[in-house]
Amino acid sequence: HKEQSDLRIEVLRKNQMDELEDKGADRKRLEEIDGKLSTIISSLEFIAQNEKTVIEYQKDKRELFDLLPQWKTGKITLEKQQLHSADTQKIELSKSHQKLSHQIEKVKSLEDKFSVFEIDISEFEKFKKSEAFAGMEAVLEDASDKEEQDVSKKASLLISEINDKYYKGIGKFQELQRSINGFVGNFNEANVFQFKVQFGNDEDYLNFALNLKEFIEEDKIQEYQKRVNERFGTIINQIGRETTELTSKEAEIEKTIKKINDDFLHKNFVEAIKEMEMRTQKSSNPIVSLLLEIKDFNEEHSLQLGQVNLFSTSESSSKNHRAVELVKQLIKELERAKTSTLTLSESFDLQFRIVENDNDSGWVEKLSNVGSEGTDVLVKAMINILLLNVFKDSASRKIKDFKLHCMMDEIGRLHPNNVRGILKFANERNILLINGSPTSQNATDYKYTYKLAKEQSKSNPKRYLTKINRLIKVNTKISN
């Protein structure tokens, strides 16, 4: 609806410009003014959008940027003070270090020895509370029964290496879990490979990894690929057959349209419509295009699709892959269209060409594009009459004088000059129209004219009855 509204707005604007230009207005000047007005509106919108930014900038400038020179001067003063304080501190520290250096050297050797033992004992106590120790406690107990070995490394370094390897192992296992979850995320519970997609504990993950390794090493995917190719080959063949059945109606459709075109040429009493023609074109529906592509693909490669046989070639694998891609595209288009049904009318596009007086509409897909509203209604009425006549002739071969009554509402929307023509257009084909809402000034175009009115029932005041009053009876050759 929005696209139609935008198109309608553009048409109205163009008509407005054309009308102003016809009345003497300077169209070029008006377009320049519209362009400048658009630029001014854009500038005003830009100013409104950035007004808050300018206010914030003025505040920051007043509170920060304008004070920058003062802060720089203060910074230089403080830096000088800092340098002076640092020099004084260095002198004092040098004196203190000289006094303490002798005592430190004496104590350092002893402290180093004790610190190593204390650190190792502390680290081991912490290590005993960690998850890594609990996981390898049994291994440590087995090792304690063996002879002690001379280890040059400190206990803290050994504990660090153990923790590092332990948490690296956890990280690798978590990475394995993420990889497995990402892999099985491509499958549902009823997947063709029968992969498990839900895991209750760590052992399930390890078992899945081992099974997948075996699956890859034994190249089991080739077997599944054969099954999938056979299944998709069957689907492609079925789609090809059903599409062929759908397109087999093209000849009947073309025959019906030819009858309609010929019928118009032989009997046309509407002076405003000089020519009217219909034709079919290839469908613009993406689903139909894909079905035709699948049909052509199946007809060309039907012997190479599916499982391996005497007609399979080295290119069969690529053909099967292409078949799978076509089916996937079809599924996406069906999901996008949100429909599971394809009608016969969607298998082709219908175009119209109308010549109204001296105006040729060219080939158009919508009757609303052929002219005014009255022309639109007139052409639709004529096409429906022609369709009724074609099917009436097919249904009434045994009855020569077969007449059909039809209701045509809002006949008053037609131009008065076309009313008599459309009535004769229908009557010559033994289609008798009952017309609703005719224009009063053309009452003589109709054999009978009735007026319908609601009246209150005398027996039951709550009920209303429709009363039909005949207003006019005209003795003419046109019967309705």
Side-chain angles (χ1 to χ4, degrees), residues 173 176 180 199 201-211:
F173 184 74
L176 176 65
I180 291 175
F199 308 97
N201 49 46
D202 296 345
E203 187 177 356
D204 290 342
Y205 282 99
L206 294 174
N207 291 334
F208 180 84
L210 292 174
N211 293 335

Side-chain angles (χ1 to χ4, degrees), residues 298-312:
N298 178 62
E299 292 176 352
E300 184 177 357
H301 307 291
S302 60
L303 297 178
Q304 298 178 353
L305 298 178
Q307 60 184 348
V308 179
N309 52 43
L310 293 175
F311 302 97
S312 300

Side-chain angles (χ1 to χ4, degrees), residues 424-442:
K424 191 173 182 181
F425 190 85
N427 294 159
E428 286 293 328
R429 293 165 173 79
N430 279 338
I431 296 175
L432 309 181
L433 297 179
I434 302 172
N435 303 298
S437 301
T439 53
S440 58
Q441 60 266 33
N442 291 318

Side-chain angles (χ1 to χ4, degrees), residues 51 60 85 136 163 195 344 356 360 451:
E51 183 179 3
D60 293 340
S85 298
M136 60 181 299
N163 284 328
F195 285 151
L344 180 63
E356 177 195 9
D360 191 342
K451 181 180 180 181

